[in-house]
Amino acid sequence: MPRKPRMISSTGIYHITLRSVNQHIIFEEDSDYRKFLFLLSDCRKNYDIEIYAYCLMDNHVHLLLYSPPEQLSHFFQSLGTRFVRWYNSKYLRTGHLFQERFHSMAIESDAYFLSALLYIHNNPVKANICRSPSEYRWSSFNAYYGGQNHLVNTSVACGIAGSGDSLRHYFALNSEAPENELFSDIHRGANHYYTDENALKIFKAVTNLSSTADAAGLERVKRNAYVRLLRKKGVTVKQVARIMGISPTTIKRICNVDH
């Protein structure tokens, strides 16, 4: 089966996940983490890459970054080749270390940017490695609290939040919250996240209806067509359910079965 084409971000910003083959441990010692970060910093100098966040887990890596679309694959090919060559030499092994294709999610809104930033830094907490993101050494979290980190550009996130203090307030407010609808969509691999306000705008543009109340009068075939189109545009199941006035179970049935 041919692979789906990679979604191009209109902002140039992506949430990238690099996973090892067969969940192989990538980072066994501190020197492994340090080498990867050194190569990440070194490789980005050859490309128009900006790093906004990173988190190195034992068998996968999360990155939030900016890249022109024509450079993204070349950048990761260079990074992966250099690290795997070093790693295989150190551990006297051969073959691939990372899965052949890295996973990318297009970041299309400020809200999704901040949520991806939080999600990435919360990975060690979710994995029960530490109690707070600040305790984890191999992420960029502390760069947003004044820590020295020349690899990470913190100004974009602070600008989106309004200030460094506002961003830290956002972290404090959300870091210990249960995984919400947005985090669930990120984990499942959704390519977009829209606020309810933006989802409503998409609904009106797609349907030409003036309000969500008008959705109740739609005939079934037209309603189902709109449901599929809203989901295709990245509106979440729960948002579509609220807008259309039907249950999430019905939304899933329409999108997966009822054609």
Side-chain angles (χ1 to χ4, degrees), residues 26-165:
I26 303 170
F27 306 107
E28 299 188 24
E29 301 175 348
D30 286 1
S31 60
D32 301 337
Y33 291 98
R34 294 192 184 100
K35 184 66 175 183
F36 186 90
L37 292 175
F38 169 79
L39 292 176
L40 180 64
S41 178
D42 195 53
C43 286
R44 75 186 174 99
K45 297 174 185 176
N46 299 321
Y47 301 89
D48 297 324
I49 304 292
E50 286 283 353
I51 308 292
Y52 305 121
Y54 65 81
C55 184
L56 312 186
M57 302 294 283
D58 60 355
N59 63 6
H60 68 281
V61 174
H62 287 280
L63 295 165
L64 184 62
L65 55 77
Y66 165 84
S67 172
E70 69 276 6
Q71 294 191 8
L72 192 63
S73 292
H74 296 299
F75 169 74
F76 280 105
Q77 182 179 14
S78 176
L79 174 63
T81 298
R82 291 179 64 183
F83 182 77
V84 173
R85 185 185 302 124
W86 174 84
Y87 184 92
N88 284 353
S89 175
K90 175 181 176 180
Y91 289 105
L92 303 176
R93 69 182 295 276
T94 59
H96 297 289
L97 179 61
F98 295 107
Q99 291 180 4
E100 183 178 353
R101 198 183 195 211
F102 61 88
H103 184 255
S104 64
M105 289 183 286
I107 304 295
E108 300 286 3
S109 70
D110 289 350
Y112 191 26
F113 181 97
L114 293 179
S115 297
L117 189 75
L118 183 62
Y119 176 84
I120 288 170
H121 288 140
N122 262 350
N123 258 248
V125 178
K126 287 174 59 183
N128 295 316
I129 295 173
C130 55
R131 293 170 298 176
S132 166
S134 63
E135 298 174 359
Y136 192 66
R137 288 192 295 159
W138 307 112
S139 84
S140 53
F141 183 80
N142 288 319
Y144 288 92
Y145 285 80
Q148 289 290 325
N149 193 325
H150 300 297
L151 178 59
V152 177
N153 178 344
T154 61
S155 63
V156 172
C158 292
I160 290 173
S163 68
D165 286 341

Side-chain angles (χ1 to χ4, degrees), residues 172-231:
L173 194 63
N174 293 284
S175 286
E176 296 184 4
E179 186 170 277
N180 58 20
E181 179 185 358
L182 171 58
F183 280 14
S184 297
D185 280 341
I186 292 174
H187 186 68
R188 288 193 300 268
N191 291 304
H192 297 279
Y193 173 74
Y194 298 108
T195 63
D196 283 351
E197 181 181 1
N198 287 335
L200 184 58
K201 290 178 181 178
I202 294 170
F203 161 78
K204 291 180 178 180
V206 165
T207 65
N208 290 317
L209 298 175
S210 59
S211 76
T212 57
D214 296 332
L218 290 171
E219 60 179 11
R220 181 173 176 272
V221 173
K222 182 173 286 189
R223 180 204 68 180
N224 292 359
Y226 286 150
V227 165
R228 295 189 196 101
L229 189 54
L230 289 170
R231 287 292 294 132

